[in-house]
Amino acid sequence: MAHDEAPATTGQTKHRPGEAGDQFQLQFVTTVSVNVPSNAEKKRTQKIIRQTVMKNFRQQQRTEKSKPKGKKRLAATSNSDPDAEEPDTDEPSSGASQFTSRSQSSSLSERGGKKGVEGSEHRRSSRISSHSPLDLGSPITPLGAGRVDPFRSAYADNNHVLHELIDHSITVIWPAFRPFGASEGLPNLPTSWFVASNSSPVAMHSMLFGAQVHLDVLRGPRMNIDNPVRLYHKIQTMRLLQEELNKRRNICFDEVILAILALLANEVETIANHIKENKIQSPFYSPLTDLQWLNIYGSISHIEAHVLALRAIVDQHGGLEKIKLEGLAEVVSFSDILGATQSFSKPHWPLLERTLKFGPFEIDESVRYPLTILGQSFAELKHFGINRKMASVLQSMVDLTIIIDCHYQGTKPLKDFTPLIDRRNWVQHALMALPSGDELVDDKVRSVCLYEAIRHVAFIYSAAVTFPLPGMSGHFHKLAALLQPMLEASKFDICWRHCPTTLLWILVLGGIASSETPERPWFVRSILMVTKVLKLSTWEQVTEIMEGFLWLDSACDAGGRILWAEVTTGRSPSAPPRG
């Protein structure tokens, strides 16, 4: 699989000076476990293969028995449909022009398996209805007849699963990274990535691996970790990536980066650890979670060895700006921001200049209701609990909240989501890049504990609203566990006496995040004490204070009301002790 240490230690070969192999000895993926498996791994692999073969065999038998007489004749008639054209014989899978012709398009299910008219129509309709909320267009548009070459070695195992995974990648996964309106035609990113994967076996297997992981997670949180299709493409990606990195010259850097990114972002085994800890439900109703598939990739932890390898190869290649494959640099940057968010660290790369052209914040005051006072309470904290840099980040989070709320309220709906994605990533990058309290040098911040508490609560709010992460990630539980001892240690600090409303905002967001954790009763008791000091007796009075800081009612109100019910009754549900 992958080492826990630096990414290039095994299987290195000596190269002559000046050759490409001297610069990219990044064999972070060892082939020992693949080519020389242990006896236990052999038995486990053989068991999975036998189960898969027998399952497919029985399914084929049942299908043959259930076919009525004349079925083959019906299928033959359907294939002679004048609306369905035959594939071209010249280079069926090498050009982007294949994507633009609707007359050559057909559903993946029709090409991959049963060819009955009723079954094909049913699969096509279920395909269209299972789209992401984003406007991605018809699933039969990008892929037409002749989309794959059956004589290429990459398609030697050609079957209905292969077609399904290709279709899912091009019509569902990739457009969400850089979405465009349907009227603008096929997005550039899916086109370019499909052409790249079609010309490189390592890119193809990495694409199929990522698509299978995405499908497994969409089908339910308790997925089959031993899915043989996913395991097969993962092993092939690792093997081919090892071969590519061992080359002395002509390394396809973009395809290598794409393959490492797929391995980094699709370690679905990490989800199983969160499921065992019951980290499934989010206490917030987060908006726009499917943009860039944060609801999927936000629940998958990054493996350090893959992260180090990706950083090393991108840096040695000249940075993100040197990546040529359309949209790949933006997705790598997004992965960097997501990894920093998950680990509470700083992003490794600066943002791409071309992603900073989303324009100034322009929303008229008349359409901001009810967020007319959002963020105004931070002005009282300047030079006491926040510095100029943090104030700028908090204001950008306020602006982004207003954009999201106006979209959902319908007062200013978004037509193009790509500028919103760029703005959202910019805000999150700036938030994660803020210095910690220990790193503040010559800053006019008189209360470091207040600064740190605000920074951590901003992490909670971003994961709930502006950069939403799923509850399955365990992110809220981790932040609640960090925030509670921080506040307990500083409870006698004079800052809380001067800023009681700020303390209430911190406690409420921290309390919502602490749902079903051992820290929850502490937050309930603390909120009760602060509301008594402030003479607050209703939830409406509390939300008036919340709206002066960072707060989105549609995302936070439900969890807040549950928390307030516990405060008023003096009871909170028991949670298992933290292991």
Side-chain angles (χ1 to χ4, degrees), residues 450-467:
L450 179 58
Y451 174 91
E452 272 295 271
I454 293 174
R455 190 171 73 96
H456 279 75
V457 172
F459 290 168
I460 293 176
Y461 184 80
S462 71
V465 177
T466 58
F467 197 79

Side-chain angles (χ1 to χ4, degrees), residues 143-180:
L143 295 177
R147 62 191 160 212
V148 295
D149 184 354
F151 297 102
R152 288 175 57 88
S153 59
Y155 301 112
D157 57 342
N158 195 6
N159 51 52
H160 69 282
V161 175
L162 177 72
H163 290 270
E164 180 186 19
L165 296 179
I166 294 175
D167 192 26
H168 188 70
S169 296
I170 294 180
T171 63
V172 178
I173 303 176
W174 295 343
F177 291 133
R178 308 290 295 175
F180 292 85

Side-chain angles (χ1 to χ4, degrees), residues 382-386 443-450 493 495:
K382 289 183 178 179
H383 307 307
F384 185 77
I386 60 176
D443 271 310
K444 298 178 180 179
V445 175
R446 286 184 284 172
S447 178
V448 175
C449 65
L450 179 58
D493 195 290
C495 67

Side-chain angles (χ1 to χ4, degrees), residues 346-365:
K346 293 179 175 56
H348 179 72
W349 291 293
L351 290 170
L352 292 160
E353 289 293 332
R354 59 179 177 266
T355 63
L356 302 178
K357 300 178 180 179
F358 42 78
F361 172 73
E362 295 179 351
I363 291 184
D364 190 78
E365 291 284 345

Side-chain angles (χ1 to χ4, degrees), residues 554-571:
S554 60
C556 308
D557 185 69
R561 287 183 180 276
I562 295 173
L563 176 66
W564 182 249
E566 296 174 18
V567 172
T568 54
T569 59
R571 295 190 302 269

Side-chain angles (χ1 to χ4, degrees), residues 79-377:
N79 287 338
S80 63
D81 189 347
D83 293 335
E85 297 183 8
E86 291 297 320
D88 295 335
T89 56
D90 297 333
E91 297 182 1
S93 61
S94 60
S97 61
Q98 298 158 2
F99 304 126
T100 59
S101 176
R102 282 184 178 268
S103 62
Q104 292 183 343
S105 300
S106 62
S107 75
L108 289 177
S109 301
E110 292 175 310
R111 289 288 177 187
K114 307 170 187 176
K115 297 184 179 180
V117 173
E118 295 179 0
S120 298
E121 290 301 322
H122 173 71
R123 286 191 295 275
R124 178 179 296 181
S125 63
S126 63
R127 262 256 189 264
I128 296 174
S129 64
S130 63
H131 270 171
S132 163
L134 300 174
D135 185 9
L136 304 179
S138 170
I140 64 174
T141 301
L143 295 177
R147 62 191 160 212
V148 295
D149 184 354
F151 297 102
R152 288 175 57 88
S153 59
Y155 301 112
D157 57 342
N158 195 6
N159 51 52
H160 69 282
V161 175
L162 177 72
H163 290 270
E164 180 186 19
L165 296 179
I166 294 175
D167 192 26
H168 188 70
S169 296
I170 294 180
T171 63
V172 178
I173 303 176
W174 295 343
F177 291 133
R178 308 290 295 175
F180 292 85
S183 60
E184 299 180 37
L186 184 68
N188 291 332
L189 187 149
T191 306
S192 301
W193 284 26
F194 181 75
V195 171
S197 62
N198 232 17
S199 61
S200 168
V202 64
M204 171 59 70
H205 281 288
S206 65
M207 179 265 287
L208 296 173
F209 165 60
Q212 186 61 62
V213 169
H214 196 273
L215 275 173
D216 288 344
V217 178
L218 282 180
R219 286 166 179 166
R222 303 187 185 278
M223 74 291 294
N224 179 18
I225 299 299
D226 294 328
N227 185 318
V229 176
R230 179 178 56 80
L231 292 175
Y232 169 74
H233 289 298
K234 181 178 182 179
I235 291 174
Q236 291 301 314
T237 300
M238 295 167 66
R239 179 182 64 81
L240 294 170
L241 181 58
Q242 181 78 24
E243 294 177 1
E244 188 70 26
L245 292 172
N246 281 334
K247 285 183 179 179
R248 300 193 177 197
R249 55 176 63 87
N250 297 327
I251 296 178
C252 300
F253 291 107
D254 285 0
E255 285 77 7
V256 167
I257 291 171
L258 185 61
I260 299 175
L261 180 65
L263 291 173
L264 177 150
N266 291 285
E267 284 292 344
V268 73
E269 290 82 0
T270 60
I271 296 182
N273 299 330
H274 298 319
I275 293 175
K276 291 177 182 177
E277 300 173 14
N278 294 320
K279 298 174 180 177
I280 298 179
Q281 297 297 327
S282 172
F284 298 94
Y285 288 92
S286 304
L288 300 175
T289 57
D290 56 347
L291 280 182
Q292 297 183 290
W293 292 113
L294 269 174
N295 55 338
I296 302 293
Y297 298 111
S299 61
I300 301 176
S301 301
H302 294 175
I303 302 299
E304 184 179 4
H306 297 162
V307 174
L308 294 175
L310 182 64
R311 290 177 179 178
I313 217 169
V314 171
D315 290 345
Q316 292 183 36
H317 190 47
L320 295 177
E321 299 285 355
K322 298 295 183 180
I323 298 177
K324 298 178 181 179
L325 184 60
E326 179 76 26
L328 180 57
E330 287 84 350
V331 177
V332 172
S333 177
F334 162 67
S335 176
D336 181 43
I337 298 169
L338 177 58
T341 302
Q342 292 175 325
S343 59
F344 311 117
S345 59
K346 293 179 175 56
H348 179 72
W349 291 293
L351 290 170
L352 292 160
E353 289 293 332
R354 59 179 177 266
T355 63
L356 302 178
K357 300 178 180 179
F358 42 78
F361 172 73
E362 295 179 351
I363 291 184
D364 190 78
E365 291 284 345
S366 60
V367 299
R368 294 190 185 187
Y369 182 83
L371 304 180
T372 54
I373 63 170
L374 192 69
Q376 293 182 6
S377 297

